[in-house]
Amino acid sequence: MAAAAPGALGALRAGRVRLVAACCARLGPVAWAGDPAPRRGYSSEVKTEDELRVRHLEEENRGIVVLGINRAYGKNSLSKNLLKMFSKAVDALKSDKKVRTIIIRSEVPGIFCAGADLKERAKMHSSEVGPFVSKIRAVINDIANLPVPTIAAIDGLALGGGLELALACDIRVAASSAKMGLVETKLAIIPGGGGTQRLPRAIGMSLAKELIFSARVLDGQEAKAVGLISHVLEQNQEGDAAYRKALDLAREFLPQGPVAMRVAKLAINQGMEVDLVTGLAIEEACYAQTISTKDRLEGLLAFKEKRPPRYKGE
């Protein structure tokens, strides 16, 4: 293989430096300033402001935030109002330094999210459809870009945009009875909320094409077998087995250093989009962000004194 021209190599290195610098800029300042089974609302009379419930858990679960979709009459489908509420919640959470992990779940039995609200879309002029899908994509991207770990708890149906919402989360857990699929080709359209990009990254290109081309729907066991979800649980009597598992995972994350969790997520996400050499440079830059923190010194001191560390996110 011919050697790369010096100018081209220099340009490549410069590009890597710019990318690493951009990743570091996204970190921002490193200083940081329940009840597992809430009562569910199933009424068809739910007020629009209650379609997404934001709960900050307390006591041993402090730092865990639960976003509960509660739009039973629309099968939790993504309407204009629900998207607005998601956008508002994400904007608040991304700058809240007390938040450590976010769980997205449904408060409606048997449904995670049925995708876009097709009844609402049927009333749209064709000129409105593109901007609406762009809004779905933007909100899902914002969820994917949240700086803390995110977990999708899939206790029911997750189709189309509902699965795309779950794919934007770092970790997905599901009940064995859950149903998941990108079914848009049945409607003569394609996934528009990131599904054509995130599904191949999650399970591989060939299998993702097969599932999208066929509009196939998988149950929890099948989804686990192809790597779409990390954990599959037998559904319990309350119908919230996936949520309970997500809560267990979130509790595992809580003792870790808050700054380290954020930069670890950033290093992984950014590194997966570039070549290995650039990815290692991103890792180096992210690691450097932890060296000057008080938490790192506290971790070493706690190890020496054989006690649990008391991290403050500083």
Side-chain angles (χ1 to χ4, degrees):
M1 180 181 295
L9 186 59
L12 179 60
R13 287 173 176 164
R16 287 172 176 160
V17 170
R18 287 194 296 271
L19 179 57
V20 172
C23 291
C24 291
R26 287 188 57 188
L27 291 174
V30 296
W32 281 58
D35 177 12
R39 177 180 174 273
R40 292 187 178 190
Y42 306 143
S43 172
S44 61
E45 301 300 323
V46 172
K47 296 179 181 179
T48 55
E49 62 265 25
D50 292 331
E51 290 182 354
L52 184 70
R53 293 175 173 173
V54 181
R55 294 192 306 121
H56 294 254
L57 304 190
E58 298 294 339
E59 299 176 355
E60 72 272 12
N61 297 322
R62 186 179 299 275
I64 301 172
V65 176
V66 179
L67 301 182
I69 311 173
N70 186 46
R71 192 169 183 259
Y73 61 93
K75 294 185 178 180
N76 283 352
S77 56
L78 298 170
S79 64
K80 290 180 179 178
N81 181 67
L82 185 55
L83 286 172
K84 180 179 179 181
M85 297 191 69
F86 259 117
S87 183
K88 180 180 179 181
V90 169
D91 281 346
L93 292 172
K94 69 184 180 183
S95 58
D96 187 343
K97 303 301 183 183
K98 296 179 181 178
V99 175
R100 305 285 293 278
T101 299
I102 297 169
I103 298 172
I104 299 180
R105 66 168 302 196
S106 167
E107 298 194 0
V108 178
I111 299 288
F112 176 74
C113 174
D117 188 335
L118 297 183
K119 291 183 179 179
E120 184 179 75
R121 186 177 296 186
K123 299 176 184 178
M124 295 180 186
H125 188 273
S126 58
S127 62
E128 298 178 276
V129 175
F132 176 70
V133 175
S134 293
K135 179 62 176 176
I136 292 177
R137 186 182 304 114
V139 170
I140 289 176
N141 281 343
D142 286 343
I143 291 170
N145 290 328
L146 281 165
V148 298
T150 53
I151 308 171
I154 308 170
D155 274 305
L157 197 68
L159 299 179
L163 181 54
E164 290 175 307
L165 175 63
L167 282 166
C169 294
D170 299 311
I171 299 165
R172 289 167 293 283
V173 299
S176 57
S177 57
K179 303 293 183 183
M180 292 157 270
L182 296 180
V183 297
E184 286 85 350
T185 51
K186 282 188 175 181
L187 298 173
I189 56 175
I190 70 169
T196 64
Q197 303 306 306
R198 291 193 176 95
L199 187 62
R201 285 166 166 79
I203 66 173
M205 183 171 65
S206 180
L207 187 52
K209 286 179 177 178
E210 180 181 330
L211 295 182
I212 291 173
F213 294 166
S214 65
R216 188 181 305 155
V217 175
L218 307 178
D219 63 25
Q221 294 289 354
E222 293 167 329
K224 176 66 167 63
V226 300
L228 179 56
I229 61 176
S230 300
H231 303 275
V232 60
L233 303 308
E234 289 298 319
Q235 189 56 282
N236 58 26
Q237 189 173 359
E238 293 78 15
D240 64 353
Y243 170 63
R244 289 178 181 271
K245 177 62 177 180
L247 194 55
D248 286 343
L249 291 173
R251 287 169 177 151
E252 281 191 70
F253 301 163
L254 285 180
Q256 321 314 330
V259 176
M261 294 291 280
R262 290 191 171 215
V263 296
K265 176 172 177 173
L266 182 63
I268 295 168
N269 285 357
Q270 295 296 319
M272 289 299 292
E273 303 300 324
V274 298
D275 62 273
L276 179 60
V277 173
T278 306
L280 292 172
I282 291 171
E283 179 184 81
E284 182 179 15
C286 288
Y287 189 98
Q289 298 296 308
T290 68
I291 294 175
S292 61
T293 63
K294 294 179 182 178
D295 280 351
R296 187 183 74 88
L297 299 178
E298 165 62 16
L300 293 173
L301 183 61
F303 178 79
K304 180 181 179 180
E305 296 177 353
K306 298 181 180 180
R307 60 170 175 81
R310 295 183 290 269
Y311 294 129
K312 298 181 179 180
E314 298 176 351

